[in-house]
Amino acid sequence: MDSDVAALKKLVDESSNIVFFGGAGVSTESGIADFRSVDGLYNQEWKYPPETILSHTFFERNPEEYFRFHRKKLVVDGAKPNKAHLRLAELEQEGKLRAVITQNIDGLHQAAGSKKVLELHGSILRAYCSRCGKPYDADKMNHGTGLPRCDCGAVIRPDIVLYEEPLDDAVLTEAIQLIRAADVLIVGGTSLNVYPAAGLINYYTGNKLVLVNLSETPYDSYADLIIHKKIGEVFSQI
């Protein structure tokens, strides 16, 4: 075990008030793409960058193209929790982890067994009418064809926070409270470039901030421990 991973294991062993804050990198090892890394195939198939397609304005103006992207790129059938998801669920069961705060919309933390999960950006496993708010099963939206429509005639949309939309106030407030109260804050699989979510790290006032990410982040200089390794590999050792 490397010294940095051993240091993280010691922090985890000695704490019962850990909060984990994660991003897309947590799910890439489950086969779910990080859209901030755009591949050649993407450039050939899509006329717009993902941030444009996943915006409120684009959804309203071009829902057909939005759903073509949604079903092909956001819905990953067969994706299963990886070692990071599973170990986080175990840490919660052991009474060490207070909550998972995630920017991901894939539901893999819950699939792994985590109970306290705050989804900053919502979930593609839920859907509702864009006009009347009626909730719907997400399967038709995720696997159907054409535009999914409500009984009122409006388009059904995923229960996710699109670009240009605000985060849920209640979820954001609870996330801030948990981070403020945390003994150890582990931030993993996120570039910390997407706001306002990335700004949550500023609410941590402790001295056990751990960053686990393959690449550098704007907050590396604030961290007490930095690990530039695959997150599943790290969590399988703690």
Side-chain angles (χ1 to χ4, degrees):
M1 184 184 296
D2 292 342
S3 59
D4 51 4
V5 178
L8 174 57
K9 186 177 188 308
K10 185 174 187 293
L11 287 176
V12 169
D13 289 345
E14 295 176 350
S15 179
S16 58
N17 183 10
I18 303 168
V19 170
F20 178 81
F21 174 41
V26 179
S27 291
T28 52
E29 290 172 56
S30 295
I32 295 178
D34 175 358
F35 293 116
R36 300 189 75 78
S37 302
V38 179
D39 57 31
L41 178 63
Y42 180 98
N43 286 326
Q44 293 169 26
E45 184 174 354
W46 310 98
K47 298 178 181 178
Y48 311 92
E51 289 86 354
T52 297
I53 298 174
L54 294 172
S55 69
H56 178 84
T57 298
F58 192 91
F59 179 85
E60 291 287 320
R61 293 178 179 175
N62 198 345
E64 294 86 357
E65 183 70 358
Y66 168 84
F67 274 106
R68 189 171 79 85
F69 178 88
H70 176 101
R71 289 165 179 151
K72 188 152 189 178
K73 302 296 284 187
L74 298 190
V75 179
V76 184
D77 291 326
K80 297 187 181 302
N82 60 50
K83 293 174 182 178
H85 296 111
L86 295 170
R87 183 59 181 136
L88 285 164
E90 289 175 352
L91 289 172
E92 182 185 48
Q93 292 162 10
E94 293 167 11
K96 291 184 168 297
L97 184 75
R98 290 289 181 90
V100 168
I101 301 168
T102 181
Q103 299 174 76
N104 297 338
I105 59 174
D106 50 48
L108 288 180
H109 284 293
Q110 292 92 329
S114 289
K115 304 299 183 187
K116 185 66 172 179
V117 181
L118 276 66
E119 296 172 314
L120 294 174
H121 297 152
S123 172
I124 62 166
L125 302 181
R126 299 186 299 269
Y128 65 94
C129 174
S130 58
R131 180 190 296 158
C132 71
K134 179 180 178 179
Y136 276 89
D137 184 280
D139 187 63
K140 176 183 176 183
M141 173 189 70
N142 289 338
H143 298 102
T145 58
L147 289 180
R149 291 197 177 273
C150 174
D151 295 335
C152 76
V155 177
I156 297 168
R157 59 162 286 173
D159 188 9
I160 63 176
V161 179
L162 297 171
Y163 286 94
E164 305 169 346
E165 295 178 341
L167 301 187
D168 182 279
D169 281 341
V171 174
L172 192 59
T173 298
E174 187 173 7
I176 290 170
Q177 291 171 343
L178 285 162
I179 288 172
R180 275 179 172 158
D183 174 31
V184 177
L185 176 62
I186 305 174
V187 180
T190 173
S191 62
L192 292 172
N193 282 314
V194 178
Y195 287 85
L200 288 175
I201 196 172
N202 294 314
Y203 291 96
Y204 179 65
T205 58
N207 60 359
K208 298 170 186 174
L209 171 61
V210 183
L211 298 185
V212 184
N213 199 52
L214 281 174
S215 58
E216 294 181 358
T217 79
Y219 286 86
D220 279 16
S221 61
Y222 298 95
D224 301 288
L225 177 62
I226 302 171
I227 304 177
H228 290 310
K229 294 182 175 71
K230 287 186 176 180
I231 192 164
E233 176 185 316
V234 171
F235 271 81
S236 67
Q237 299 179 70
I238 64 170

